[in-house]
């Protein structure tokens, strides 16, 4: 072994380069060609030497350092990678009309006339799992799964085993993050399942599951033995633009060595898009891999930039889904499940049947009107046919959610079938279940005394978009709840103290050992520090979704301010039936309603929840255990970050929606009304009372050009 201490920086740098190359070649030989060119011991020694040089000269550590990428994956699950640009999902179109609406909404947002030229790309939507590949100076430095969209799993070693994914690129931008889909072909999937069955291994329900199960392997050697493929269709951070258009960028990725889908076409409007959709649909059965629709994207990247994103989806793209497969089966029984907000949800227990490659044994029946054959307005659905136990029904899977019922076959209805009687007491706690006027759903009034509500609330609390505690999923929550170990979220954070000493009780449970218990406690400790919006979402308050949680967190930045404002709102007189305008006049209500994305229904629900003694005490107990992290000021260096801006009058260079989205992207709050809290008013021609009020209050007023110059867009 060389003496690392005596190396000069120059020699050390050369040595790191050399070791990197040897180790990279060794990896390729090992994983991709299945023909190792180094013994395990030689490999380990070189890797150790590399790490020692890096430890001695941290500044010389290479971005493509073998220490970061290869060798055994971390044994305790995957490391996390924060995406430099979030990995979002796509909005859906289900029919031709939706495609027309998509085009119209884009034209409206951009202020384009109906006959202005607007080109789209149309390409298959691959049914696999998305992967982000980061290349620095032409070297693959890491690969991450989508995860929750913000943070994914580090699957670098696994991605390196996929032949479709180049390890090095030439003539690429210094920084290039390529995104695409990992999938498995039908032929490879079938062969894999045969091999698995022969070796008593796990077989997979469909190619998508097989691809996901193969990529997310802690041992990259297993991934290497699985025939995974990749299509590139998007990108994240880049140091230089790939092209001016979507199609140009895809062609560039293709030229760099990434497989891109050959069915990608340019279309000059909805008719051409739909025609290409039909053409792809006609080839679906013979493609050799699963697709579940067609993705349309605005071709001009400048326009994509202007269109930007909603909270979870881009405005410039949409997925046109293929119609779901419909299959007939029988309803054996109708059960009622009680959700976290007390909603009684009827579920059809079905004779198991395969739909789209997945065995289905439950379908949602939505609510009592739906079962009776009418919609929320009392109008007939399914020609007024009701649904009964024993009925033959046609079911389908819509995305990843619970299967749904499309139709009932009355000719097969058993003679003794009786109309379903919806319960009026909660099946879990026997409290009254009531249906408020205007609500389609009947709800248990038991609150936290209802065990079903309590446990569902806690499952929500640990869910991915909330506290996301590794090792504490729905199953464990149910188990711990049944054992009386956790009755409310705060109890999760006292588990270690209560069981820490001997861990006896936990260890006695099937599936728990000292190590896994310790890991669980560590994972819980990790979440004592939590993003404010995750806490808010995790509380499981009705109408408080992920997007609204982010809006609230951004506005209030800390728990005490939010709770204090809710308390004041609870004591302000005008609640209940008051109109939005009347409510907006009272200060605390007005503050909630001024937040874009927060309406009357959510405010009412939040204020009511926090005013309930039981609920509030439970939240207060929880908050004591937490360090709440305020939202990052995403654009703190922009001149309008944190400022409240009002747009009024006509804008000529952009639509109101675009102006608002742009201001928010720069960290501003956009409000509809001028008050003492307004920092800036952008007034176009025809501005009236708002501009006048701003002038009276001495608030700065800019015209459209002034605004664009101010934010640096002029
Ligand atoms: S574009 C900003 N193109 O579908 C979103 N996605 O439902 C960029 N997917 O998470 C995605 N084929 O995993 C895009 N040709 C395609 C796709 C595709 C499959 C997946 C992707 C995404 C999901 C959204």
């Amino acid at each position: 072994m060389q003496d690392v201490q005596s190396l000069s920086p120059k020699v050390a740098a050369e040595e790191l380069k050399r070791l990197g190359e040897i180790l990279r070649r060794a990896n390729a030989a090992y994983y991709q060609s299945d023909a190792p060119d180094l013994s395990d011991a030689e490999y380990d020694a070189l890797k150790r030497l590399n790490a020692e040089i890096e430890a001695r000269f941290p500044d010389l550590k290479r971005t493509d350092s073998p220490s970061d990428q290869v060798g055994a994956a971390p044994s305790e699950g995957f490391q996390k990678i924060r995406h430099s640009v979030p990995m979002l999902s796509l909005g859906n179109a289900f029919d031709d009309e939706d495609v027309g609406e998509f085009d119209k909404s884009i034209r409206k947002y951009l202020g384009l006339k109906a006959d202005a030229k607007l080109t789209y790309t149309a390409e298959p939507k691959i049914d696999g799992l998305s992967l982000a590949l980061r290349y620095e100076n032409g070297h693959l430095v890491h690969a991450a799964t989508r995860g929750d969209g913000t943070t994914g799993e580090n699957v670098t070693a696994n991605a390196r085993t996929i032949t479709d994914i180049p390890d090095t690129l030439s003539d690429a931008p210094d920084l290039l993050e390529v995104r695409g889909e990992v999938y498995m072909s039908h032929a490879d999937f079938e062969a894999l399942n045969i091999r698995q069955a022969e070796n008593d291994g796990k077989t997979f329900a469909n190619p998508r599951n097989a691809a996901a199960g193969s990529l997310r392997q802690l041992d990259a050697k297993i991934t290497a033995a699985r025939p995974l493929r990749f299509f590139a269709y998007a990108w994240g951070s880049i140091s230089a633009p790939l092209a001016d258009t979507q199609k140009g960028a895809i062609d560039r990725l293709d030229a760099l060595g990434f497989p891109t889908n050959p069915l990608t076409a340019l279309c000059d409007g909805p008719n051409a898009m739909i025609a290409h959709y039909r053409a792809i649909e006609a080839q679906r059965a013979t493609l050799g891999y699963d697709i579940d629709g067609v993705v349309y994207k605005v071709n001009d990247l400048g326009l994509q930039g202007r269109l930007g994103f909603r909270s979870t989806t881009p405005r410039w793209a949409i997925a046109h889904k293929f119609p779901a497969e419909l299959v007939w089966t029988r309803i054996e029984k109708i059960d009622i499940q009680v959700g976290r907000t007390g909603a009684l949800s009827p579920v059809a227990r079905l004779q198991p049947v395969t739909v789209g490659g997945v065995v289905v044994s439950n379908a949602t029946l939505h609510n009592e009107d739906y079962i009776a054959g009418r919609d929320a307005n009392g109008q007939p659905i399914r020609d007024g046919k009701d649904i009964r136990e024993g009925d033959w029904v046609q079911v389908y899977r819509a995305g990843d959610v619970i299967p749904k019922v499309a139709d009932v076959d009355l000719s097969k209805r058993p003679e003794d079938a009786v109309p379903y009687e919806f319960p009026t007491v909660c099946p879990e706690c026997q409290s009254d279940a009531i249906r408020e006027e205007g609500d389609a759903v009947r709800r248990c009034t038991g609150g936290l005394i209802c065990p079903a509500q309590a446990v569902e609330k806690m499952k929500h609390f640990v869910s991915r978009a909330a506290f996301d505690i590794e090792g504490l999923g729905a199953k464990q929550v149910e188990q711990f709840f049944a054992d009386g170990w956790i009755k409310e979220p705060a109890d999760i954070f006292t588990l270690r103290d209560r069981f820490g000493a001997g861990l006896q009780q936990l260890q006695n449970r099937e599936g728990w050992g000292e190590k896994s218990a310790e890991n669980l406690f560590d994972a819980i400790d990790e979440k004592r520090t939590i993003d404010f919006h995750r806490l808010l979402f995790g509380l499981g308050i009705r109408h408080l979704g992920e997007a609204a949680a982010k809006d609230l967190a951004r506005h209030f930045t800390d728990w005490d301010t939010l709770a204090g404002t809710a308390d004041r709102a609870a004591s302000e007189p005008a609640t209940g039936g008051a109109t939005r305008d009347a409510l907006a006049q009272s200060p605390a209500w007005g503050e909630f309603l001024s937040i874009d994305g927060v309406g009357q229904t959510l405010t009412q629900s939040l204020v009511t929840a926090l005013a309930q003694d039981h609920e509030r005490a439970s939240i207060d107990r929880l908050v004591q255990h937490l360090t709440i992290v305020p939202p990052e000021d995403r654009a703190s260096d922009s001149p309008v970050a944190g400022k409240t801006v009002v747009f009024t009058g006509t804008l000529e260079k952009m639509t109101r929606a675009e102006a608002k989205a742009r201001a928010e992207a720069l960290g501003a709050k956009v409000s509809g009304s001028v008050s003492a809290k307004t920092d800036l008013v952008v007034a176009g021609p025809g501005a009236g009372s708002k501009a006048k009020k701003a002038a009276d209050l001495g608030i700065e007023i800019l015209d459209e050009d002034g605004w664009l110059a101010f934010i640096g867009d002029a």
Side-chain angles (χ1 to χ4, degrees), residues 14 53 56 60 77 100 138 142 182 201 220 259 264 356 374 376 385 401 405 425 614 654:
E14 282 164 10
I53 302 177
R56 166 92 175 76
L60 295 181
H142 71 224
V182 172
T264 308
R374 51 175 186 260
K385 288 182 273 185
V401 295
V405 170
V425 294
H614 256 69
M654 56 197 155

Side-chain angles (χ1 to χ4, degrees), residues 65-89:
S65 161
S67 316
D68 291 343
Q69 316 139 28
V70 285
S75 53
E76 305 292 346
F78 293 98
Q79 288 173 343
K80 299 277 191 286
I81 289 183
R82 204 181 160 84
H83 299 301
S84 57
V85 178
M87 287 182 84
L88 301 178
S89 52

